[in-house]
Amino acid sequence: DAGVIQSPRHEVTEMGQEVTLRCKPISGHDYLFWYRQTMMRGLELLIYFNNNVPIDDSGMPEDRFSAKMPNASFSTLKIQPSEPRDSAVYFCASYSGGAKNIQYFGAGTRLSVL
Amino acid sequence: GDSVTQMEGPVTLSEEAFLTINCTYTATGYPSLFWYVQYPGEGLQLLLKATKADDKGSNKGFEATYRKETTSFHLEKGSVQVSDSAVYFCALSHGGYSTLTFGKGTMLLVSP
């Protein structure tokens, strides 16, 4: 399996622009997570899905952030409009459920908002 | 709520030195405990885990023992290598739930 695939790996944009991050989970995994990593706050869970349904979005910082999972093999995290404080590394992870509870992470998208 | 506290880094060691990275947690019940590792430019990957008190997780020479009485899960390795340089995250989750609570991470730098 190719693992969790995220795109793009790097994104540089200007304040006010819309940004879309993409994630393809591991086939057969029922859970998908979006995290944000910054030096100041560490790793934060933004939202997670189970069987394509959002379960908990309490970590989404504000209404400018939205996430969708239209099918089992694709998810997006959108920021509109983007702000410099959104600059971070965004990770997607997937998990197959069950007692093992091992999440598999993608390589991340490094976002810079100028 | 749940929380995980790790020692602040960076931890700087010479090759073949002994490593300890401290991790303590606050949680109700009996969580599962994990160590994840993040190599430069990559995502996190599971290093080891333990699901109940006194369990020892081990992988690639790293070990950690689930200590319920001290709510700790310290990571150890007897002889580190330059290739172990990475950021190490301690985390917990509750059985039946899928979310992980992470510590802030500890950077390890190993010099030849």
Side-chain angles (χ1 to χ4, degrees):
Chain A
D1 197 317
V4 176
I5 299 172
Q6 292 187 246
S7 64
R9 289 295 311 275
H10 303 276
E11 177 79 36
V12 181
T13 191
E14 293 189 347
M15 182 174 63
Q17 296 298 305
E18 177 179 296
V19 175
T20 299
L21 312 181
R22 297 172 176 79
C23 176
K24 176 179 168 53
I26 292 173
S27 177
H29 283 191
D30 298 331
Y31 289 82
L32 184 139
F33 306 82
W34 283 101
Y35 292 90
R36 178 172 68 177
Q37 184 180 38
T38 61
M39 290 294 292
M40 290 298 294
R41 301 171 70 93
L43 201 62
E44 304 172 276
L45 176 64
L46 300 178
I47 184 172
Y48 78 97
F49 297 82
N50 178 215
N51 291 322
N52 313 336
V53 176
I55 302 300
D56 185 352
D57 65 354
S58 59
M60 297 284 261
E62 48 197 278
D63 292 345
R64 297 185 298 105
F65 286 69
S66 63
K68 294 182 180 180
M69 192 164 186
N71 57 62
S73 59
F74 183 65
S75 177
T76 59
L77 178 68
K78 186 176 293 187
I79 308 172
Q80 166 63 19
S82 58
E83 297 183 4
R85 60 194 167 115
D86 301 330
S87 297
V89 181
Y90 291 82
F91 289 103
C92 175
S94 71
Y95 155 66
S96 62
K100 287 190 175 181
N101 198 8
I102 298 172
Q103 293 187 21
Y104 294 84
F105 283 73
T109 296
R110 181 174 295 277
L111 173 65
S112 297
V113 183
L114 306 178
Chain B
D2 296 342
S3 67
V4 175
T5 303
Q6 294 180 233
M7 60 189 291
E8 288 196 21
V11 173
T12 305
L13 295 173
S14 298
E15 207 165 24
E16 300 184 1
F18 184 85
L19 168 71
T20 299
I21 299 178
N22 291 337
C23 170
T24 57
Y25 68 90
T26 301
T28 56
Y30 299 90
S32 294
L33 302 175
F34 305 81
W35 277 100
Y36 277 78
V37 59
Q38 182 181 27
Y39 297 104
E42 299 183 11
L44 282 71
Q45 56 186 275
L46 180 69
L47 180 60
L48 54 84
K49 63 177 286 191
T51 57
K52 61 183 187 296
D54 299 325
D55 267 3
K56 178 185 283 187
S58 61
N59 186 25
K60 300 181 181 180
F62 291 89
E63 294 183 339
T65 301
Y66 189 145
R67 300 289 187 200
K68 180 74 175 166
E69 63 277 12
T70 55
T71 62
S72 65
F73 193 55
H74 304 321
L75 183 68
E76 295 182 337
K77 186 176 186 183
S79 176
V80 294
Q81 304 300 312
V82 172
S83 57
D84 294 327
S85 298
V87 180
Y88 293 81
F89 292 88
C90 186
L92 68 82
S93 74
H94 287 281
Y97 293 88
S98 55
T99 60
L100 287 165
T101 299
F102 285 94
K104 291 203 167 183
T106 302
M107 179 179 287
L108 170 66
L109 299 172
V110 181
S111 56

